[in-house]
Amino acid sequence: IMFNNSSEENILNKLVEPNTYNLPNTSSIMSTLLIQYAIIDFEQNIHLASQEQMHFINTDLEKSMTLKAPAGSGKTSAILLKAVLEKLKNPSLKIVIIKPTNLACDILSKKLLDTVEHAIVELDLSSIVILTPTQFKESTPKSIDLIICDDTEFYEDTFLLSIKNSSNKRKLIFVENATSPDEYYFTETFRATNKDVFFYEANEHAKVLQIVSSLLLTCQAKDILIVSTPLTRQKLQDDFDEFIESDSVEIDSTQSLINQNFNHILLANYDDTVSLEAKYVLLMDIALIDVKKLEYAYSLCSQSVYIVYDMESENLELLRNNFESNKNT
């Protein structure tokens, strides 16, 4: 309808200048036609997959594949789109995607529904099952053709080994947060790469309260995510109840999406951050956390990261070397 009886030149003009012709933008048009390349972010904006992501999505399934890429590079979106493409190629295919937590499973399920709802094709979603490791072990679906393990650094080695040893004729895809290039590796991302990074050496609780109070002058409470250890999170909850007018909620990744409230300041443990996103992320207790989980938590933000610490540490030096754009004390 949009391009009927149009010359090639007019078609290109309509794509390049959509507002002139009252059309959706190019990414929206193309991702509707090519669902396997449509990435929908947490603000419901639509992006086209990068060339690297398209290469991974289009590659024929192998016995075992490993996708390695830095946190925040769109790996989870790519494996979701690969599952979609494999279903389009073979509608009878049975696929299981494994995510670390119940919350992460629900968020991915919602993203799958959003993606398919936007497209002009029909897809049987009942044969794409998204499970936690516990759910997979307790009730492994029968006749699985493809298993995709996302965020493998959050799983026990024994679980990953059991997947590999029981594969039979199943195809396997393992997804790791890593900075070392591999056959399947992403360097590009649709996410903003020019985010600001601020380091503060101070009393962690007092400084976080100050930063949050300042952010709330210009942003909504739901835009803020604070990541810490469980003990610090509990102390922060008490401080927020007393000193901050906006409510805060503790993220519990063992609960489903429907039981979460994302309209307040979010407080999360490092193990609860899988699949979360926010405009502003504050990181605490960095000396006590595995550096891969720190890098993952860093990747959750779209605008600014605030790293608050009360002592020097090896992790702090690694974060500085990798991410620092500004330093404030």
PDB file of all heavy atoms in Angstrom, residues 231-250:
ATOM      1  N   LEU A 231      22.716  -7.219  52.112  1.00  0.00           N
ATOM      2  CA  LEU A 231      22.768  -6.497  53.386  1.00  0.00           C
ATOM      3  C   LEU A 231      22.669  -4.994  53.152  1.00  0.00           C
ATOM      4  O   LEU A 231      21.915  -4.291  53.837  1.00  0.00           O
ATOM      5  CB  LEU A 231      24.049  -6.840  54.140  1.00  0.00           C
ATOM      6  CG  LEU A 231      24.232  -6.145  55.491  1.00  0.00           C
ATOM      7  CD1 LEU A 231      23.093  -6.499  56.434  1.00  0.00           C
ATOM      8  CD2 LEU A 231      25.588  -6.524  56.105  1.00  0.00           C
ATOM      9  N   THR A 232      23.424  -4.494  52.184  1.00  0.00           N
ATOM     10  CA  THR A 232      23.371  -3.064  51.868  1.00  0.00           C
ATOM     11  C   THR A 232      21.988  -2.677  51.369  1.00  0.00           C
ATOM     12  O   THR A 232      21.477  -1.604  51.697  1.00  0.00           O
ATOM     13  CB  THR A 232      24.433  -2.716  50.807  1.00  0.00           C
ATOM     14  OG1 THR A 232      25.732  -2.975  51.338  1.00  0.00           O
ATOM     15  CG2 THR A 232      24.349  -1.254  50.399  1.00  0.00           C
ATOM     16  N   ARG A 233      21.386  -3.534  50.588  1.00  0.00           N
ATOM     17  CA  ARG A 233      20.050  -3.238  50.057  1.00  0.00           C
ATOM     18  C   ARG A 233      19.043  -3.037  51.185  1.00  0.00           C
ATOM     19  O   ARG A 233      18.216  -2.129  51.139  1.00  0.00           O
ATOM     20  CB  ARG A 233      19.583  -4.360  49.123  1.00  0.00           C
ATOM     21  CG  ARG A 233      18.269  -4.055  48.425  1.00  0.00           C
ATOM     22  CD  ARG A 233      17.869  -5.117  47.439  1.00  0.00           C
ATOM     23  NE  ARG A 233      17.358  -6.310  48.102  1.00  0.00           N
ATOM     24  CZ  ARG A 233      16.695  -7.290  47.470  1.00  0.00           C
ATOM     25  NH1 ARG A 233      16.494  -7.203  46.160  1.00  0.00           N
ATOM     26  NH2 ARG A 233      16.270  -8.345  48.116  1.00  0.00           N
ATOM     27  N   GLN A 234      19.128  -3.874  52.207  1.00  0.00           N
ATOM     28  CA  GLN A 234      18.197  -3.744  53.319  1.00  0.00           C
ATOM     29  C   GLN A 234      18.417  -2.438  54.071  1.00  0.00           C
ATOM     30  O   GLN A 234      17.460  -1.737  54.442  1.00  0.00           O
ATOM     31  CB  GLN A 234      18.361  -4.927  54.277  1.00  0.00           C
ATOM     32  CG  GLN A 234      17.389  -4.911  55.443  1.00  0.00           C
ATOM     33  CD  GLN A 234      15.941  -4.857  55.002  1.00  0.00           C
ATOM     34  OE1 GLN A 234      15.491  -5.712  54.234  1.00  0.00           O
ATOM     35  NE2 GLN A 234      15.192  -3.854  55.443  1.00  0.00           N
ATOM     36  N   LYS A 235      19.671  -2.074  54.281  1.00  0.00           N
ATOM     37  CA  LYS A 235      19.972  -0.807  54.955  1.00  0.00           C
ATOM     38  C   LYS A 235      19.500   0.378  54.113  1.00  0.00           C
ATOM     39  O   LYS A 235      18.984   1.367  54.645  1.00  0.00           O
ATOM     40  CB  LYS A 235      21.473  -0.700  55.228  1.00  0.00           C
ATOM     41  CG  LYS A 235      21.998  -1.694  56.265  1.00  0.00           C
ATOM     42  CD  LYS A 235      23.496  -1.529  56.467  1.00  0.00           C
ATOM     43  CE  LYS A 235      24.022  -2.487  57.509  1.00  0.00           C
ATOM     44  NZ  LYS A 235      25.501  -2.366  57.693  1.00  0.00           N
ATOM     45  N   LEU A 236      19.677   0.267  52.796  1.00  0.00           N
ATOM     46  CA  LEU A 236      19.228   1.339  51.906  1.00  0.00           C
ATOM     47  C   LEU A 236      17.718   1.506  51.962  1.00  0.00           C
ATOM     48  O   LEU A 236      17.198   2.624  51.965  1.00  0.00           O
ATOM     49  CB  LEU A 236      19.645   1.037  50.464  1.00  0.00           C
ATOM     50  CG  LEU A 236      20.994   1.565  49.985  1.00  0.00           C
ATOM     51  CD1 LEU A 236      21.225   1.138  48.548  1.00  0.00           C
ATOM     52  CD2 LEU A 236      21.093   3.060  50.121  1.00  0.00           C
ATOM     53  N   GLN A 237      17.010   0.391  52.014  1.00  0.00           N
ATOM     54  CA  GLN A 237      15.549   0.449  52.094  1.00  0.00           C
ATOM     55  C   GLN A 237      15.115   1.246  53.320  1.00  0.00           C
ATOM     56  O   GLN A 237      14.219   2.091  53.241  1.00  0.00           O
ATOM     57  CB  GLN A 237      14.976  -0.962  52.165  1.00  0.00           C
ATOM     58  CG  GLN A 237      13.456  -1.027  52.211  1.00  0.00           C
ATOM     59  CD  GLN A 237      12.820  -0.697  50.873  1.00  0.00           C
ATOM     60  OE1 GLN A 237      12.870  -1.491  49.940  1.00  0.00           O
ATOM     61  NE2 GLN A 237      12.232   0.470  50.769  1.00  0.00           N
ATOM     62  N   ASP A 238      15.780   1.012  54.453  1.00  0.00           N
ATOM     63  CA  ASP A 238      15.467   1.756  55.676  1.00  0.00           C
ATOM     64  C   ASP A 238      15.783   3.238  55.511  1.00  0.00           C
ATOM     65  O   ASP A 238      15.011   4.104  55.946  1.00  0.00           O
ATOM     66  CB  ASP A 238      16.242   1.185  56.863  1.00  0.00           C
ATOM     67  CG  ASP A 238      15.854  -0.257  57.168  1.00  0.00           C
ATOM     68  OD1 ASP A 238      14.734  -0.655  56.793  1.00  0.00           O
ATOM     69  OD2 ASP A 238      16.685  -0.980  57.761  1.00  0.00           O
ATOM     70  N   ASP A 239      16.928   3.535  54.872  1.00  0.00           N
ATOM     71  CA  ASP A 239      17.315   4.936  54.661  1.00  0.00           C
ATOM     72  C   ASP A 239      16.326   5.654  53.747  1.00  0.00           C
ATOM     73  O   ASP A 239      15.977   6.816  53.983  1.00  0.00           O
ATOM     74  CB  ASP A 239      18.718   5.013  54.050  1.00  0.00           C
ATOM     75  CG  ASP A 239      19.800   4.612  55.035  1.00  0.00           C
ATOM     76  OD1 ASP A 239      19.532   4.667  56.250  1.00  0.00           O
ATOM     77  OD2 ASP A 239      20.909   4.252  54.591  1.00  0.00           O
ATOM     78  N   PHE A 240      15.886   4.970  52.695  1.00  0.00           N
ATOM     79  CA  PHE A 240      14.936   5.595  51.778  1.00  0.00           C
ATOM     80  C   PHE A 240      13.612   5.881  52.456  1.00  0.00           C
ATOM     81  O   PHE A 240      12.995   6.925  52.224  1.00  0.00           O
ATOM     82  CB  PHE A 240      14.721   4.699  50.554  1.00  0.00           C
ATOM     83  CG  PHE A 240      15.748   4.890  49.471  1.00  0.00           C
ATOM     84  CD1 PHE A 240      16.860   4.072  49.388  1.00  0.00           C
ATOM     85  CD2 PHE A 240      15.612   5.905  48.554  1.00  0.00           C
ATOM     86  CE1 PHE A 240      17.813   4.262  48.407  1.00  0.00           C
ATOM     87  CE2 PHE A 240      16.554   6.109  47.558  1.00  0.00           C
ATOM     88  CZ  PHE A 240      17.660   5.281  47.485  1.00  0.00           C
ATOM     89  N   ASP A 241      13.181   4.972  53.291  1.00  0.00           N
ATOM     90  CA  ASP A 241      11.927   5.192  54.007  1.00  0.00           C
ATOM     91  C   ASP A 241      11.987   6.435  54.880  1.00  0.00           C
ATOM     92  O   ASP A 241      10.983   7.118  55.094  1.00  0.00           O
ATOM     93  CB  ASP A 241      11.598   3.975  54.879  1.00  0.00           C
ATOM     94  CG  ASP A 241      11.250   2.749  54.048  1.00  0.00           C
ATOM     95  OD1 ASP A 241      10.920   2.922  52.857  1.00  0.00           O
ATOM     96  OD2 ASP A 241      11.319   1.628  54.586  1.00  0.00           O
ATOM     97  N   GLU A 242      13.197   6.758  55.354  1.00  0.00           N
ATOM     98  CA  GLU A 242      13.340   7.876  56.278  1.00  0.00           C
ATOM     99  C   GLU A 242      13.712   9.188  55.597  1.00  0.00           C
ATOM    100  O   GLU A 242      13.233  10.256  55.999  1.00  0.00           O
ATOM    101  CB  GLU A 242      14.391   7.542  57.338  1.00  0.00           C
ATOM    102  CG  GLU A 242      14.541   8.603  58.425  1.00  0.00           C
ATOM    103  CD  GLU A 242      15.471   8.171  59.538  1.00  0.00           C
ATOM    104  OE1 GLU A 242      15.933   7.005  59.519  1.00  0.00           O
ATOM    105  OE2 GLU A 242      15.736   9.006  60.428  1.00  0.00           O
ATOM    106  N   PHE A 243      14.573   9.120  54.557  1.00  0.00           N
ATOM    107  CA  PHE A 243      15.154  10.352  54.006  1.00  0.00           C
ATOM    108  C   PHE A 243      14.689  10.725  52.598  1.00  0.00           C
ATOM    109  O   PHE A 243      14.861  11.868  52.177  1.00  0.00           O
ATOM    110  CB  PHE A 243      16.689  10.232  53.982  1.00  0.00           C
ATOM    111  CG  PHE A 243      17.306  10.065  55.345  1.00  0.00           C
ATOM    112  CD1 PHE A 243      17.872   8.856  55.723  1.00  0.00           C
ATOM    113  CD2 PHE A 243      17.301  11.107  56.254  1.00  0.00           C
ATOM    114  CE1 PHE A 243      18.437   8.696  56.968  1.00  0.00           C
ATOM    115  CE2 PHE A 243      17.865  10.962  57.514  1.00  0.00           C
ATOM    116  CZ  PHE A 243      18.427   9.746  57.869  1.00  0.00           C
ATOM    117  N   ILE A 244      14.136   9.789  51.827  1.00  0.00           N
ATOM    118  CA  ILE A 244      13.744  10.074  50.444  1.00  0.00           C
ATOM    119  C   ILE A 244      12.233  10.012  50.324  1.00  0.00           C
ATOM    120  O   ILE A 244      11.596   9.052  50.767  1.00  0.00           O
ATOM    121  CB  ILE A 244      14.381   9.063  49.461  1.00  0.00           C
ATOM    122  CG1 ILE A 244      15.904   9.092  49.587  1.00  0.00           C
ATOM    123  CG2 ILE A 244      13.958   9.363  48.038  1.00  0.00           C
ATOM    124  CD1 ILE A 244      16.557  10.366  49.121  1.00  0.00           C
ATOM    125  N   GLU A 245      11.659  11.035  49.723  1.00  0.00           N
ATOM    126  CA  GLU A 245      10.195  11.078  49.600  1.00  0.00           C
ATOM    127  C   GLU A 245       9.668  10.012  48.652  1.00  0.00           C
ATOM    128  O   GLU A 245       8.594   9.449  48.871  1.00  0.00           O
ATOM    129  CB  GLU A 245       9.758  12.470  49.123  1.00  0.00           C
ATOM    130  CG  GLU A 245       9.990  13.569  50.151  1.00  0.00           C
ATOM    131  CD  GLU A 245       9.459  14.908  49.689  1.00  0.00           C
ATOM    132  OE1 GLU A 245       8.836  14.942  48.601  1.00  0.00           O
ATOM    133  OE2 GLU A 245       9.670  15.902  50.395  1.00  0.00           O
ATOM    134  N   SER A 246      10.400   9.728  47.581  1.00  0.00           N
ATOM    135  CA  SER A 246       9.943   8.714  46.619  1.00  0.00           C
ATOM    136  C   SER A 246      10.081   7.316  47.210  1.00  0.00           C
ATOM    137  O   SER A 246      11.046   7.010  47.909  1.00  0.00           O
ATOM    138  CB  SER A 246      10.762   8.807  45.334  1.00  0.00           C
ATOM    139  OG  SER A 246      10.539  10.028  44.678  1.00  0.00           O
ATOM    140  N   ASP A 247       9.112   6.456  46.914  1.00  0.00           N
ATOM    141  CA  ASP A 247       9.160   5.078  47.398  1.00  0.00           C
ATOM    142  C   ASP A 247      10.216   4.279  46.635  1.00  0.00           C
ATOM    143  O   ASP A 247      10.532   4.566  45.479  1.00  0.00           O
ATOM    144  CB  ASP A 247       7.803   4.407  47.211  1.00  0.00           C
ATOM    145  CG  ASP A 247       6.743   4.986  48.129  1.00  0.00           C
ATOM    146  OD1 ASP A 247       7.121   5.507  49.199  1.00  0.00           O
ATOM    147  OD2 ASP A 247       5.554   4.939  47.769  1.00  0.00           O
ATOM    148  N   SER A 248      10.755   3.277  47.300  1.00  0.00           N
ATOM    149  CA  SER A 248      11.679   2.347  46.659  1.00  0.00           C
ATOM    150  C   SER A 248      11.143   0.935  46.826  1.00  0.00           C
ATOM    151  O   SER A 248      10.416   0.639  47.774  1.00  0.00           O
ATOM    152  CB  SER A 248      13.077   2.458  47.281  1.00  0.00           C
ATOM    153  OG  SER A 248      13.032   2.134  48.664  1.00  0.00           O
ATOM    154  N   VAL A 249      11.492   0.063  45.890  1.00  0.00           N
ATOM    155  CA  VAL A 249      11.053  -1.324  45.964  1.00  0.00           C
ATOM    156  C   VAL A 249      12.256  -2.237  45.754  1.00  0.00           C
ATOM    157  O   VAL A 249      13.180  -1.915  45.004  1.00  0.00           O
ATOM    158  CB  VAL A 249       9.970  -1.642  44.909  1.00  0.00           C
ATOM    159  CG1 VAL A 249       8.702  -0.865  45.193  1.00  0.00           C
ATOM    160  CG2 VAL A 249      10.470  -1.373  43.505  1.00  0.00           C
ATOM    161  N   GLU A 250      12.235  -3.379  46.434  1.00  0.00           N
ATOM    162  CA  GLU A 250      13.282  -4.370  46.283  1.00  0.00           C
ATOM    163  C   GLU A 250      12.888  -5.349  45.179  1.00  0.00           C
ATOM    164  O   GLU A 250      11.810  -5.935  45.215  1.00  0.00           O
ATOM    165  CB  GLU A 250      13.503  -5.119  47.595  1.00  0.00           C
ATOM    166  CG  GLU A 250      13.984  -4.219  48.733  1.00  0.00           C
ATOM    167  CD  GLU A 250      14.267  -5.008  49.998  1.00  0.00           C
ATOM    168  OE1 GLU A 250      14.231  -6.251  49.935  1.00  0.00           O
ATOM    169  OE2 GLU A 250      14.524  -4.380  51.030  1.00  0.00           O
TER     170      GLU A 250
END
